[in-house]
Amino acid sequence: MKKSLILLFTLPLYMVAQNDSREKNFFLNLGAEFRITPTYKPNDQSVAINFINPDLQNSGPVLNIGIDYYLTEDFSIGLKSSVRYDLITTHIDKTGSEGVSSGIERGLMFGYHFNLGYHFHVFKKGDLLVNVGLSLLNRNSEYMRTESILNGEGEVIGTTSNLDNYNFSANRLSIGYGKGRSKLMMGIYISQNTKYFETKTTFIVPFLSYSFDVAKF
């Protein structure tokens, strides 16, 4: 009888402890992100500025959805997708009657993020969070680049059109605070392989983000 009573009282406590555990569980999360104006060396900016403003294209609000799997109580691997409605290209066409005509094209752009995360128990309530990973940015940014063909005297004798895009990959570093299901992070995307510059130039996009674990399974 005593053993039954002990089991009756300890089993719920054990189940609660198991429910609070992150290890060997998946977490579905939703969140929002705000990307701050990038920093780079403006003197290295290439001819791409004739078709795009890198600052406008890489700053502003973003919606995120992702899933994390915890290998241990504190160490996780994750995948995340992001979507935003933003500037794709200013699409300046140098073949108009006055030499230049322009238009602005906007649309949905996507990002795909792979990350490793760790919880450090340094606060009485909540954890210090550190994430590192790789991001594939500006997917669906394809546009038609049209430029003039000039003869030796500088006269326009034709045009050439090519499908181009502003895709680039970036390392992602972030640090923040997590409590319960909520996470508040700050970090940067950092890359040297964008199409905005003639030479390799470090391109940094700072960001702030908030996410919430909506389901565990």
Side-chain angles (χ1 to χ4, degrees), residues 76-91:
S76 67
I77 58 176
L79 300 174
K80 182 180 296 184
S81 295
S82 62
V83 60
R84 59 196 175 99
Y85 182 77
D86 216 324
L87 176 70
I88 293 180
T89 178
T90 52
H91 192 63

Side-chain angles (χ1 to χ4, degrees), residues 72-122:
T72 70
E73 184 66 19
D74 298 316
F75 179 62
S76 67
I77 58 176
L79 300 174
K80 182 180 296 184
S81 295
S82 62
V83 60
R84 59 196 175 99
Y85 182 77
D86 216 324
L87 176 70
I88 293 180
T89 178
T90 52
H91 192 63
I92 293 181
D93 184 353
K94 297 183 179 181
T95 63
S97 59
E98 297 181 359
V100 175
S101 62
S102 64
I104 295 176
E105 182 181 350
R106 296 181 182 273
L108 292 177
M109 286 194 289
F110 303 94
Y112 305 100
H113 315 272
F114 310 89
N115 66 275
L116 304 175
Y118 199 86
H119 290 243
F120 292 91
H121 305 286
V122 297

Side-chain angles (χ1 to χ4, degrees), residues 25-97:
N25 284 294
F26 290 92
F27 288 82
L28 176 68
N29 53 75
L30 298 175
E33 179 179 308
F34 187 83
R35 295 178 186 169
I36 303 168
T37 303
T39 60
Y40 50 87
K41 297 177 182 178
N43 291 336
D44 291 335
Q45 201 165 341
S46 75
V47 70
I49 61 173
N50 291 326
F51 295 87
I52 193 61
N53 183 321
D55 292 355
L56 290 179
Q57 188 179 68
N58 292 282
S59 60
V62 183
L63 295 178
N64 294 321
I65 181 171
I67 189 167
D68 294 317
Y69 178 72
Y70 281 81
L71 298 170
T72 70
E73 184 66 19
D74 298 316
F75 179 62
S76 67
I77 58 176
L79 300 174
K80 182 180 296 184
S81 295
S82 62
V83 60
R84 59 196 175 99
Y85 182 77
D86 216 324
L87 176 70
I88 293 180
T89 178
T90 52
H91 192 63
I92 293 181
D93 184 353
K94 297 183 179 181
T95 63
S97 59

Side-chain angles (χ1 to χ4, degrees), residues 68 70 119 129 177-178 181-185 209-211 213:
D68 294 317
Y70 281 81
H119 290 243
L129 308 178
Y177 176 76
R181 296 186 177 187
S182 297
K183 300 180 181 69
L184 184 64
M185 308 291 290
S209 69
Y210 171 79
S211 64
D213 292 332

